[in-house]
Amino acid sequence: MSVLGSRADDVVVEEGFEQDGGVLGRAYRALSIGMVSVVFLIAFEATAVGTAMPVAARELHGVAQYAFAFSGFFTTSLFGMVLAGQWADRRGPLAALTTGIGSFAAGLVIAGTARTMWVFILGRAVQGLGGGLVIVALYVVVGRAYPERLRPAIMAAFAAGWVVPSIVGPLASGAVTEQLGWRWVFLGIPVLVVLPLALALPRIRSRASGPVDAAVAAAPLDRRRIRLALGIALGAGLVQYAVQDLRPLSLIPGAAGAALLVPAVLGLLPRGTCRAARGLPSVVLLRGVSAGSFVAAESFVPLMLVTQRGLSPTLAGLSLAVGGGTWALGSWLQSRPRLAPYRERLMTAGMVLVTAALVTVPSVLLPAVPVWTVAVVWAFGCLGMGLVISSTSVLLLRLSAPEEAGANSAALQISDALSNALLLAAVGAAFAALGGGTAARPAAFAVVFFPMAVVALAGVWVTTRLRSAEP
């Protein structure tokens, strides 16, 4: 579920959607609609798949590997992000975007036709590669095609693209899962990518294709970064395998994965990220801390409601539906020029909301707590995420030179995806160790939500390190 920045002295964007020169003005209308449509489809897939996943895992006898279906996506997306950053900076974002959408659709087909859990996970991995290419390419398009005064508005439009899928996606997915089977949730989406491509690609070709300058175009791909990308993806995969296996022998692949991960992370992320250095490094770190803690917890909410409270997949998915609207509201709030001077405080408040949501959601494990509590609490958590995720995207592009937009966007997304993959693997291992499965015990869910609340609380501190990112 997640571009970009504004200055207080720029042209006011309160009417950014209506002005002739706004994101829906004649100059940008086709591009904006096409890009938001791509985001809409990705959002629909994310919300729909989350609802269908518990049923798919049980039918494929793979509940114990449940977390891999999510973390596998994020693992391969790491390589796709680095590749897209290199590709877009040197050749423009068009080819990376179209290749990514094709890979994303192919992964959906593989997952939808899978007969075993591991083939299903393979399909999710192919999706992840495409998703990594797409998200970085979209960032580069926004950085090149839109003036800075319009970037908060298109970011708010991206967030708004999640609203309808968040509301309709779980309901549609649950209904399709119950009436036709979970496979159609995956197989029905690929055919929908044609229209947004037809709208967006001509405008991307005219406004954002090609390199920034000839010197950049002539430079070959940075082989060192590609090797680091392979190292970070392979390392993350080995670590995930080790924590899921939980046998003494798993220490070997775990150690090998860590040996690959550490230099790759240090080489691909801005210097000082791991110690929360002020400015860009903390922006990148906050993205990982916020997204990782939230996504790792969110992945288990439908499973908790289905196995512990007996909800149908439809109702379990609907418990997360309101969050799409509040996420968009948070993104809209951060785009208001009047609130720009208070962006750091907004991000702190956002992380406080996320922490509170992660602490409160497992209360539904108590029979006396109404199930609807999850919907209310998660809505506030999503409001906080809208404030934080959108603002990290805004700050990143503001701090990036045009020729560095691809690499820096890739770093932001690597932080996001790596955190998602590692934290999902960690909580998945804890979940399995404490009885996770078809008849999972409440304690297995507790070790998912409470540790992630601690991670989110650390994010509250990281928001105090962003001051130098503001002009």
Side-chain angles (χ1 to χ4, degrees), residues 61 68 70 87 99 128 190 200 229 267 364 392 427 465:
H61 307 290
F68 271 128
F70 291 96
W87 200 348
T99 302
V364 79
T392 57
V427 299
R465 308 286 294 169

Side-chain angles (χ1 to χ4, degrees), residues 245 247-254:
D245 193 37
R247 294 183 300 174
L249 286 177
S250 67
L251 292 175
I252 297 174

Side-chain angles (χ1 to χ4, degrees), residues 156 159 323-336 339 343 346 382-388 390-391:
T326 56
W327 189 306
L329 175 62
S331 181
W332 179 83
L333 287 173
Q334 66 78 35
S335 74
R336 300 302 89 194
L339 295 179
R343 186 177 301 281
L346 288 175
C382 287
L383 174 64
M385 288 296 288
L387 292 170
V388 173
S390 298
S391 291

Side-chain angles (χ1 to χ4, degrees), residues 57-85:
R58 285 190 295 186
E59 183 175 313
L60 296 174
H61 307 290
V63 174
Q65 292 81 41
Y66 184 78
F68 271 128
F70 291 96
S71 60
F73 179 99
F74 296 120
T75 298
T76 54
S77 70
L78 292 168
F79 179 74
M81 289 167 186
V82 179
L83 180 60

Side-chain angles (χ1 to χ4, degrees), residues 126-373:
V126 175
Q127 276 184 261
L129 177 63
L133 291 168
V134 169
I135 190 63
V136 172
L138 285 177
Y139 272 53
V140 176
V141 170
V142 172
R144 293 190 184 187
Y146 293 86
E148 189 173 349
R149 67 182 180 86
L150 293 182
R151 292 174 189 167
I154 190 62
M155 180 59 201
F158 282 2
W162 281 81
V163 176
V164 174
S166 297
I167 297 173
V168 177
L171 178 62
S173 174
V176 170
T177 299
E178 293 174 8
Q179 301 299 321
L180 300 177
W182 63 267
R183 297 180 185 279
W184 288 103
V185 175
F186 293 85
L187 297 175
I189 296 175
V191 297
L192 302 177
V193 301
V194 177
L195 180 60
L197 282 177
L199 283 172
L201 292 186
R203 294 296 181 179
I204 294 174
R205 184 177 292 109
S206 63
R207 287 182 172 273
S209 63
V212 174
D213 57 50
V216 173
L221 292 179
D222 187 336
R223 294 183 179 180
R224 176 179 174 273
R225 290 185 66 86
I226 297 299
R227 288 195 299 270
L228 291 175
L230 288 171
I232 202 172
L234 180 58
L238 288 172
V239 170
Q240 290 172 77
Y241 173 80
V243 298
Q244 288 288 324
D245 193 37
L246 294 179
R247 294 183 300 174
L249 286 177
S250 67
L251 292 175
I252 297 174
L260 289 169
L261 270 179
V262 172
V265 168
L266 294 177
L268 291 172
L269 300 186
R271 180 174 298 179
T273 298
C274 295
R275 56 182 173 83
R278 288 190 175 276
L280 180 62
S282 285
V283 172
V284 172
L285 177 62
L286 180 62
R287 180 58 164 260
V289 168
S290 58
S293 60
F294 192 81
V295 170
E298 184 180 47
S299 300
F300 284 84
V301 172
L303 186 65
M304 179 177 67
L305 295 177
V306 169
T307 61
Q308 300 301 305
R309 299 302 295 263
L311 268 64
S312 68
T314 302
L315 292 177
L318 283 174
S319 67
L320 306 178
V322 178
T326 56
W327 189 306
L329 175 62
S331 181
W332 179 83
L333 287 173
Q334 66 78 35
S335 74
R336 300 302 89 194
R338 294 175 184 175
L339 295 179
Y342 310 103
R343 186 177 301 281
E344 181 182 331
R345 296 181 185 178
L346 288 175
M347 297 172 80
T348 301
M351 288 309 302
V352 169
L353 288 175
V354 172
T355 303
L358 297 183
V359 169
T360 307
V361 160
S363 65
V364 79
L365 292 168
L366 301 173
V369 176
V371 175
W372 53 259
T373 302

